[in-house]
Amino acid sequence: MTDTPLLRLDGLTKRYGALLVTDNVTLDFPEGELHAILGPNGAGKTTLMHQVSGLIDPDGGQILFEGRDVTALPMRERVRRGIARTFQITSILPGFSALENVALAVQGRSGSSFRFFGIAASEKALNEEAAKLLSLVGLGARMDILAGALSHGEKRALEIAIALATQPRLLLLDEPLAGMGNEESARMIEILKRLKQEYTILLIEHDMDAVFALADRVTVLLYGRVIATDTPDAVRASPEVRAAYLGEDAA
Amino acid sequence: MRGLKKVLLSAVAFAALGGVAQAAPAEKVKIGLVTTLTGPSAVLGQQIRDGFLLSVQQNGGKIGGIEAEVIVVDDEQKPDVAVNRVRGLIERDKVDFVVGPVFSNIAVAMFKPVVQSETFFISPNSGTSNFAGRDCSPYYFVTSYQNDQMHGVLGKHAQNEGLKRVVLMVPNYQAGKDSVAGFKRHYEGEIVDEIYTSLGQLDFSAELARIAALQPDALFTFMPGGMGVNLTKQFRQAGLADKVKFLSAFTVDETTLPAQRDDAVGFFGGANWAPDFDNEQSKAFVAAYEAAFDNVPGTYAMQAFDAAQLLDSAVRGVGGDLSDKDAVRAALMKADFPSLRGEFTFNHNGYPIQDFYLVKAAKREDGKYQTEIVEKIFDDYADDYAGQCRLGS
Amino acid sequence: MSTTLLVVQTLNGLQFGILLFLIAAGLTLVFGVMDFVNLAHGVQYMIGAYLAATFTALTGNFLWGLLLALPTALVVGIILEVLVFRHLYERDHLSQVLATFGVILFLNEAVKLIWGAAPLGVPVPEMLSGNVVLMDGVLYPVYRLVIIGAGLAVALLLYFGVNHTRVGMLVRAGASNPRMVSALGVNIGRLFMIVFGFGAMLAGFAGIMVAPILSVEPGMGDNLLILAMVVIVIGGIGSIRGAFIAALLIGLVDTLGRSFFGDLLRLFMPAATASQTGRAIAPMLIYILMAAVLFFRPAGLFPARR
Amino acid sequence: MNEAVIPSAALPKGPFGLRRNLLPAVLFLAFALAPLAVAFGADPFFQSILIRIMIFAIAAISLDLILGFGGMVSLGHAAFIGIGAYAVGILASHGIEEAHVQLPITLAVASLFALVTGAISLRTKGVYFIMITLAFAQMIMFFATSLSAYGGDDGLTIWTRSQVFGSDILGNRTIFYYVTFAVMLGCYLLCRAMVVSRFGRVLRGSKENPVRMEAIGFSPYRFQLAAYVIAGMMCSLAGFLLANQAEFVSPAYMSWQRSGELLIMVILGGLGSLHGAVIGAAALLLLEEGLAGFTEHWKIILGPLLVLVALFLRQGILGLLTGKKNND
């Protein structure tokens, strides 16, 4: 624990009215780790991710990325620093082709976008990198399809490719398996396993099998509070967790 | 599209009066009538159209004995639309005369294209000060009045009556400011307050409360169209009608009285004519107009009727030869027609010299409302800007 | 400026605000619950006024005119809903703008064809035509007090209806989360028709109530529509409470601004400049107010939807 | 209803393909050749109508840039027509009639107004944006009304058209026609280049999904503001030309009804294609012109026509022309 972790949450707190949705969360995310967050619906998982990505502001506490305070930075600044994310409800540009979705993200970090001339869609450098990333998530053959016309699983994969195009150091994935069939899930898990080699990942996921297969560490949230954070096996064994959350499943 | 449109336009214009012979002789007089037919002020535009066409119809569809084609065009009360349409009349339809419009701002917009093309421009209603004075033109004739004169009537009346304290209330736009100037020219008493309302204002309760607090002898106001209807109703309802004399121009007239009804009865206005005007042609006109359109003609209709009569006399005067512009101008200048308001002559600036009256709104025996002449205020009144016009004289 | 004048002007501002509220209430519901941009709301107000004029003239009695005009306004609203608006709920805002703009053109012209271009008037009912003495020397027309009263009654009714009835609950839910309402298995088509018809009737009611004090003429709703939009935007779309407060705010700012803004400026500048500047700025005041409110609260004062 | 509210403006692959260019090419060629028809005996007034159509087409193109590609529904766009027109009118009334002086001032004033009002307006979204743009347009309209020295509500006649280095060539109708045509074509080509550029891609992306744009590191606000300023400047050119064509300026140029008409033109023609805006401007003005010749109650025909277009032609007239099926 001598190194500064890639991401540190320090006493993070968020309220909606009287409801405490993030309750004094303090967590460290070391570089290279895949950290999964579990918890029943309404436990505050997505809200936590929103705060890390900068979509919403916390009411208290700090977010340190690479040791620097990013709490006050807007989302786009955090993206530039290396925090990229996907959303629970797929967020892509449905009217753009899959390739353009990714190429636009590449464009975001390569040179100014205040260029009024020249056809962006024919910029070779952008397209090549985008194509590479699409192949990585298994969409190599679907690049020219309008994103809105892709299947659900393909859209989720596309969103990951978009996030990768920003060259993140930390990848925030909000339920990448949600709504997928068995086959699609299996494919996505393969993709995640590959990503795990290269990126630090914070993952929210309901699919237990996937979580325990992928995660290096697991944190369990309940009513916005961290009730456990440990290796998957230790969490699985924790009586507190079983009682509060897994208990229902185990029974 | 062009041919079709022309035929239809004239057909519409004539159909309105129950069909006039449609034969197209080699020579005919073409008149473009630009007026406001859409929007809240359409009723004024309708009076002008109806008054003008009534005269043409009475002459058997002719002007000066020659077949007349009247092309009625709606300016939509938008200056750029008016400019565009009037250009169409001049360039496409090659009209000999342009008659119109209702509103001064439209007239200002139309002025340049019409006058520059050396087409005669007859205004049946608006008469702005700049075209009477500095910017007067040999192609511009006005059969109504110079705007200030109507306001001056009330100023003069207030002065004659010895009213000591007067409040002025007008909409905050150019014509409103002109009306204040017109009133002040003839009134020397104390002006307690000048209230400027926004154009198109619906509710005058704020202003009326202020007037009630000031307790003046009279209110002078200029609230054309719907504003005037609202103001008179609210003035009456605020209980001011019995305490403050209501003097107005373009506020209580035959176009607004059907809505104001009893609320406006007894209110004073200034005019160059009223439907009860005592002369033969006027009586015949009112009767014919009411029979044809089922409403009481106001000065708008009267001035448009006179405009048609003026054209009739001028075309007759040059024997139908409209090519010699100077001759046409001279014939127009003579104003050799039986004006509904009796005496009518043109000043050198193309604006009329005529009498002005104090009028009062009244309910007729048949239940309709009209303004009636109370007394003559000005005799042979020429406008005050003619001196700045360097035409003719 | 005397205090009596201030009192009367405040009352006038209140009355104008109430009038705006009557129009804005229906508009904010239709906007908020159905996410429907109804530019034709203003012509429904106009139709109310014309119906009142017609029925009052026919029966010779304003109360009968009101009683007949109100359901007729509702029927007109429902006809419009069935013919046009119903097919646009699922469409984008721009299609709605185009269609309702077309409806405005049509109805404004239709009114002119039916009733003529000349303004119509409705006399103030006999028993309400007097004045009351507010304080010595200050009279106030009874009918205007009636408008204030009627407006407050409608506001109360709406408040009760929205907060304590089933339809009201659905309306509130719809304004904050339209998807949820359809998830609840409610017949959305019927809810929308009720809300729309009710909104049209409210606009019609406003038109009927103003017929005795304003001229009834084609296009009379166009400018009020813009004012009503200003009101609901300041108040927060979908919020009845917001519409009420914003309407009073606009009514007061406009009325008081028109009469006292010049006087106020006189404190800072020479009298002539002050009155001229005052005249120039007074009509802009409500727009300045709106821009300022939206600058600090981009979703209005009481945003219904998060 | 929030997703995919506005038909997508994304461009198909190969933005310079033949099919895509055929219609605009025919359209602009028709405008280019129209004066020939006059030379061969057609009604010269037709040329005046076309000039007017092209002027409003310029305004509509600029509105389509922010509406069809940026998703910004402005109900105050006519303010820029007014700014352009008043710049000409006010300068001319002080004897400054040179176009090379008037034009930079027009563009400067328009960009400043767009920058300030856009910066405030873009903080809001949806209907709030519609209304705040309306508010600013109303303010500047009332401001123009209060300018007594420049005619106030009556407006201002422009006695001399803008001079081009001392010559009155804009007074020649055919030259003025081609100047207007050149401006329209220029604006069109500029916008087309812009929407496929890097800038345009970010703008289109921001319209489709601003949160996604933030999540890949863009600030939609800055791009939208830049587009708003560009569109405002472009529209002020329309005002500049309108003032010279009508030889008259008036606060009526900036009324909210005018802004509404611009919106209608864009929607009627077909959103997000730029040449659709030209078609819409032509359609609305020709309909007005044609129907007004037909009957004084032309609005009773135009109204239902607009309703029918809204109900059945989701891509506007353009959808009809390209035969695009109107399903979602």
Side-chain angles (χ1 to χ4, degrees):
Chain A
M1 292 302 250
T2 48
D3 285 343
T4 29
L6 184 64
L7 175 74
R8 164 174 282 173
L9 306 182
D10 189 4
L12 213 56
T13 302
K14 177 78 190 172
R15 273 184 204 85
Y16 284 129
L19 191 66
L20 208 52
V21 279
T22 303
D23 186 359
N24 198 18
V25 170
T26 299
L27 282 172
D28 279 355
F29 301 84
E31 183 117 38
E33 192 179 83
L34 194 154
H35 191 133
I37 294 182
L38 289 177
N41 279 327
K45 306 184 293 290
T46 295
T47 309
L48 185 69
M49 188 169 276
H50 283 342
Q51 292 168 81
V52 175
S53 67
L55 191 64
I56 59 176
D57 295 329
D59 293 324
Q62 269 193 328
I63 302 164
L64 300 169
F65 185 67
E66 297 175 312
R68 273 177 298 188
D69 187 357
V70 298
T71 321
L73 292 182
M75 177 149 70
R76 59 173 183 278
E77 267 316 311
R78 297 188 205 189
V79 176
R80 292 184 184 282
R81 302 259 173 119
I83 304 178
R85 70 168 294 181
T86 67
F87 291 83
Q88 189 176 4
I89 296 164
T90 316
S91 176
I92 53 174
L93 307 172
F96 283 50
S97 71
L99 185 72
E100 269 213 281
N101 262 284
V102 184
L104 185 51
V106 180
Q107 177 186 325
R109 54 158 181 77
S110 47
S112 168
S113 281
F114 275 96
R115 284 195 210 154
F116 299 93
F117 298 100
I119 301 168
S122 341
E123 283 193 44
K124 227 171 154 193
L126 304 185
N127 289 347
E128 279 173 0
E129 189 173 342
K132 214 172 66 197
L133 289 168
L134 283 170
S135 303
L136 186 72
V137 298
L139 290 176
R142 307 278 284 162
M143 294 195 292
D144 295 332
I145 312 280
L146 277 192
L150 294 173
S151 75
H152 174 72
E154 288 172 332
K155 283 182 186 160
R156 310 283 317 179
L158 172 62
E159 203 184 0
I160 290 176
I162 294 171
L164 295 180
T166 65
Q167 291 188 342
R169 303 199 53 205
L170 172 66
L171 205 49
L172 312 175
L173 305 177
D174 196 348
E175 295 194 32
L177 300 178
M180 286 192 180
N182 284 340
E183 217 173 298
E184 282 182 324
S185 286
R187 221 175 294 142
M188 178 59 81
I189 290 172
E190 281 314 304
I191 293 170
L192 295 180
K193 274 184 181 158
R194 240 177 293 149
L195 294 179
K196 199 183 147 181
Q197 314 298 319
E198 288 178 54
Y199 300 94
T200 309
I201 297 176
L202 171 56
L203 173 75
I204 294 175
E205 189 48 68
H206 272 297
D207 185 327
M208 291 297 162
D209 297 336
V211 167
F212 289 116
L214 287 166
D216 300 315
R217 233 152 43 102
V218 173
T219 291
V220 179
L221 281 186
L222 191 66
Y223 302 120
R225 218 155 29 82
V226 176
I227 58 168
T229 177
D230 214 327
T231 62
D233 291 335
V235 164
R236 210 188 322 225
S238 155
E240 198 183 349
V241 172
R242 292 186 80 91
Y245 175 54
L246 299 177
E248 297 148 29
D249 272 348
Chain B
M1 188 191 94
R2 168 192 161 222
L4 174 74
K5 182 177 168 184
K6 215 162 29 175
V7 171
L8 285 167
L9 266 171
S10 40
V12 168
F14 283 82
L17 287 155
V20 179
Q22 266 285 301
E27 215 185 334
K28 57 179 169 177
V29 183
K30 278 188 158 188
I31 296 153
L33 180 59
V34 182
T35 184
T36 300
L37 295 172
T38 42
S41 306
V43 62
L44 309 183
Q46 285 177 356
Q47 282 229 351
I48 284 178
R49 178 195 60 193
D50 294 346
F52 191 90
L53 292 179
L54 181 66
S55 168
V56 176
Q57 187 211 24
Q58 287 179 352
N59 290 327
K62 292 182 175 168
I63 290 273
I66 301 175
E67 195 68 41
E69 182 184 339
V70 182
I71 305 172
V72 181
V73 166
D74 180 11
D75 61 35
E76 300 176 34
Q77 217 181 329
K78 293 177 189 160
D80 56 320
V81 170
V83 168
N84 205 46
R85 300 248 155 97
V86 82
R87 285 225 180 106
L89 291 173
I90 293 166
E91 294 167 9
R92 174 177 51 200
D93 304 312
K94 310 223 163 22
V95 296
D96 302 300
F97 302 95
V98 170
V99 178
V102 182
F103 293 96
S104 296
N105 62 332
I106 307 289
V108 173
M110 284 165 57
F111 189 78
K112 191 183 171 196
V114 180
V115 165
Q116 262 185 356
S117 69
E118 305 194 338
T119 309
F120 287 100
F121 188 179
I122 318 292
S123 169
N125 191 51
S126 89
T128 60
S129 56
N130 53 338
F131 299 146
R134 229 169 356 109
D135 300 328
C136 63
S137 158
Y139 290 94
Y140 191 57
F141 290 84
V142 172
T143 64
S144 50
Y145 41 74
Q146 197 283 309
N147 293 349
D148 296 10
Q149 292 176 313
M150 299 290 252
H151 311 289
V153 172
L154 286 315
K156 182 78 172 159
H157 170 70
Q159 183 68 20
N160 291 350
E161 290 289 300
L163 299 177
K164 290 199 178 61
R165 306 173 73 244
V166 176
V167 170
L168 310 184
M169 176 162 80
V170 296
N172 185 20
Y173 74 130
Q174 203 51 44
K177 290 166 196 162
D178 291 349
S179 84
V180 165
F183 183 88
K184 282 180 177 172
R185 183 167 297 123
H186 299 277
Y187 177 70
E188 287 156 16
E190 187 193 351
I191 288 168
V192 194
D193 199 2
E194 288 177 30
I195 302 173
Y196 292 87
T197 64
S198 55
L199 194 63
Q201 187 167 317
L202 302 170
D203 189 51
F204 296 94
S205 46
E207 290 77 7
L208 291 174
R210 195 174 176 112
I211 293 166
L214 291 167
Q215 298 184 322
D217 296 324
L219 165 72
F220 167 71
T221 187
F222 161 67
M223 290 286 164
M227 291 189 290
V229 174
N230 294 345
L231 176 64
T232 45
K233 291 178 124 199
Q234 294 165 16
F235 188 81
R236 175 78 63 182
Q237 285 161 23
L240 288 168
D242 309 322
K243 297 177 190 156
V244 180
K245 197 167 184 178
F246 190 93
L247 307 174
S248 70
F250 306 104
T251 306
V252 176
D253 62 31
E254 284 69 20
T255 62
T256 59
L257 275 168
Q260 292 160 331
R261 304 173 72 84
D262 288 340
D263 286 338
V265 168
F267 287 7
F268 294 98
N272 50 0
W273 176 85
D276 71 333
F277 194 83
D278 192 18
N279 86 18
E280 277 315 308
Q281 53 274 30
S282 174
K283 281 178 185 162
F285 162 73
V286 172
Y289 188 97
E290 288 187 16
F293 308 110
D294 196 33
N295 59 58
V296 186
T299 53
Y300 308 98
M302 179 279 289
Q303 288 152 184
F305 189 91
D306 267 4
Q309 294 201 80
L310 167 68
L311 293 184
D312 185 70
S313 72
V315 173
R316 202 179 300 277
V318 295
D321 176 16
L322 298 174
S323 57
D324 183 351
K325 303 269 182 190
D326 290 329
V328 175
R329 178 177 313 116
L332 285 167
M333 211 50 155
K334 276 189 204 150
D336 183 18
F337 66 94
S339 171
L340 300 181
R341 57 206 118 151
E343 265 184 80
F344 179 98
T345 51
F346 277 123
N347 205 346
H348 69 279
N349 60 352
Y351 277 57
I353 299 174
Q354 59 188 329
D355 299 342
F356 285 89
Y357 308 88
L358 182 73
V359 299
K360 187 165 146 178
K363 188 175 188 173
R364 296 198 311 210
E365 279 174 14
D366 64 358
K368 288 189 171 155
Y369 296 82
Q370 66 179 17
T371 57
E372 291 173 356
I373 288 172
V374 179
E375 57 172 329
K376 190 187 277 187
I377 301 286
F378 290 116
D379 197 36
D380 285 345
Y381 183 21
D383 67 85
D384 304 287
Y385 298 92
Q388 298 169 23
C389 171
R390 292 197 208 101
L391 280 176
S393 57
Chain C
M1 54 175 131
S2 62
T3 28
T4 49
L5 190 56
L6 191 64
V7 169
V8 173
Q9 299 297 49
T10 308
L11 219 49
N12 283 326
L14 212 62
Q15 179 248 320
F16 185 45
I18 292 273
L19 177 67
L20 284 177
F21 169 71
L22 286 178
I23 302 169
L27 193 61
T28 204
L29 283 182
V30 171
F31 244 125
V33 180
M34 291 139 80
D35 197 24
F36 183 73
V37 182
N38 181 17
L39 298 184
H41 199 71
V43 292
Q44 284 158 340
Y45 156 84
M46 170 182 75
I47 284 178
Y50 268 98
L51 291 173
T54 307
F55 287 125
T56 306
L58 273 179
T59 59
N61 180 323
F62 180 72
L63 195 65
W64 275 112
L66 172 76
L67 290 178
L68 288 168
L70 211 51
T72 318
L74 177 69
V75 168
V76 172
I78 287 181
I79 290 175
L80 281 176
E81 203 265 356
V82 171
L83 281 183
V84 181
F85 301 145
R86 166 172 300 186
H87 312 289
L88 291 162
Y89 295 150
E90 294 298 314
R91 302 283 297 278
D92 58 83
H93 282 163
L94 291 176
S95 299
Q96 297 165 355
V97 166
L98 183 63
T100 52
F101 189 79
V103 171
I104 295 182
L105 291 184
F106 177 76
L107 285 180
N108 273 340
E109 201 61 39
V111 155
K112 213 165 79 184
L113 271 177
I114 299 170
W115 282 282
L120 302 181
V122 176
V124 176
E126 201 64 45
M127 52 185 277
L128 301 176
S129 64
N131 282 287
V132 281
V133 181
L134 285 184
M135 47 189 85
D136 37 68
V138 183
L139 292 177
Y140 202 75
V142 175
Y143 188 75
R144 282 172 183 267
L145 291 177
V146 171
I147 292 185
I148 295 181
L152 288 176
V154 169
L156 270 177
L157 209 71
L158 272 174
Y159 180 80
F160 175 80
V162 168
N163 286 302
H164 298 283
T165 65
R166 188 181 137 73
V167 174
M169 183 206 74
L170 291 174
V171 164
R172 267 184 301 144
S176 57
N177 189 350
R179 284 214 184 100
M180 191 183 89
V181 181
S182 52
L184 287 176
V186 172
N187 182 342
I188 286 287
R190 225 184 46 214
L191 176 69
F192 279 10
M193 197 163 108
I194 291 172
V195 172
F196 191 90
F198 188 68
M201 198 169 72
L202 273 181
F205 180 64
I208 296 165
M209 290 307 288
V210 300
I213 56 169
L214 299 183
S215 85
V216 179
E217 56 189 13
M220 66 187 283
D222 295 1
N223 285 326
L224 267 179
L225 169 76
I226 291 297
L227 286 181
M229 302 263 259
V230 170
V231 164
I232 68 169
V233 161
I234 290 181
I237 290 166
S239 163
I240 292 283
R241 182 170 58 137
F244 185 73
I245 290 169
L248 294 190
L249 202 62
I250 291 284
L252 287 171
V253 165
D254 191 48
T255 309
L256 296 179
R258 274 193 276 128
S259 43
F260 299 120
F261 192 64
D263 297 335
L264 199 69
L265 285 179
R266 229 167 276 188
L267 300 175
F268 310 106
M269 49 179 87
T273 336
S275 69
Q276 205 176 5
T277 321
R279 257 181 271 150
I281 296 183
M284 292 187 217
L285 276 179
I286 55 171
Y287 296 105
I288 295 173
L289 175 73
M290 172 162 91
V293 167
L294 291 186
F295 183 78
F296 293 107
R297 309 204 48 153
L301 294 175
F302 300 94
R305 197 174 296 186
R306 285 184 189 279
Chain D
M1 272 212 58
N2 283 330
E3 276 165 55
V5 274
I6 295 172
S8 167
L11 304 175
K13 202 190 170 197
F16 288 99
L18 179 68
R19 264 200 69 175
R20 204 185 137 64
N21 281 316
L22 190 60
L23 187 60
V26 169
L27 186 67
F28 285 103
L29 201 65
F31 273 108
L33 297 180
L36 280 184
V38 174
F40 284 105
D43 187 345
F45 178 65
F46 191 54
Q47 209 172 326
S48 294
I49 296 184
L50 288 180
I51 292 177
R52 198 173 145 76
I53 288 176
M54 292 193 294
I55 291 173
F56 279 97
I58 294 166
I61 288 173
S62 72
L63 181 60
D64 197 18
L65 176 69
I66 54 170
L67 177 63
F69 298 91
M72 293 169 256
V73 187
S74 166
L75 192 50
H77 208 56
F80 296 106
I81 294 185
I83 288 173
Y86 266 92
V88 176
I90 291 176
L91 289 172
S93 78
H94 290 290
I96 303 169
E97 291 153 354
E98 282 291 335
H100 68 263
V101 182
Q102 290 178 342
L103 256 182
I105 294 179
T106 301
L107 293 174
V109 175
S111 61
L112 191 69
F113 182 76
L115 190 66
V116 172
T117 62
I120 298 171
S121 306
L122 282 166
R123 288 169 51 88
T124 65
K125 302 212 155 38
V127 179
Y128 296 97
F129 181 81
I130 300 181
M131 293 309 293
I132 197 166
T133 49
L134 168 91
F136 285 121
Q138 291 287 92
M139 283 182 214
I140 193 156
M141 185 188 79
F142 284 121
F143 177 70
T145 308
S146 72
L147 292 175
S148 280
Y150 305 108
D153 191 73
D154 276 355
L156 184 63
T157 298
I158 295 170
W159 295 100
T160 14
R161 286 192 179 193
S162 298
Q163 305 287 301
V164 181
F165 299 109
S167 89
D168 189 26
I169 57 168
L170 291 185
N172 176 303
R173 180 159 44 194
T174 306
I175 292 178
F176 190 74
Y177 182 95
Y178 279 109
V179 167
T180 309
F181 175 73
V183 175
M184 174 176 74
L185 189 62
C187 287
Y188 171 75
L189 292 176
L190 190 68
C191 285
R192 269 200 60 167
M194 254 187 312
V195 297
V196 297
S197 71
R198 280 186 159 218
F199 172 80
R201 183 149 81 173
V202 178
L203 186 66
R204 286 181 284 130
S206 304
K207 176 195 150 194
E208 286 212 5
N209 189 342
V211 175
R212 179 28 82 194
M213 295 307 283
E214 293 251 6
I216 55 176
F218 289 108
S219 158
Y221 179 87
R222 289 168 54 205
F223 290 86
Q224 286 167 337
L225 183 57
Y228 189 80
V229 172
I230 292 169
M233 290 167 75
M234 224 174 248
C235 189
S236 74
L237 290 179
F240 181 90
L241 292 167
L242 185 65
N244 272 300
Q245 196 244 354
E247 298 176 326
F248 183 76
V249 298
S250 152
Y253 290 1
M254 306 182 232
S255 68
W256 71 266
Q257 286 93 339
R258 262 293 145 75
S259 296
E261 279 170 20
L262 290 180
L263 269 181
I264 299 300
M265 285 174 188
V266 176
I267 309 169
L268 184 66
L271 203 59
S273 68
L274 298 172
H275 58 281
V278 181
I279 295 173
L284 190 69
L285 292 174
L286 286 176
L287 268 177
E288 259 190 52
E289 201 65 37
L291 291 177
F294 205 68
T295 162
E296 139 192 355
H297 301 290
W298 53 277
K299 286 181 177 169
I300 213 156
I301 304 171
L302 182 62
L305 266 180
L306 296 182
V307 174
L308 289 177
V309 170
L311 286 180
F312 299 112
L313 294 180
R314 299 204 174 189
Q315 299 293 321
I317 297 174
L318 203 61
L320 197 67
L321 291 178
T322 56
K324 225 181 240 174
K325 286 278 167 282
N326 287 310
N327 42 24
D328 274 355

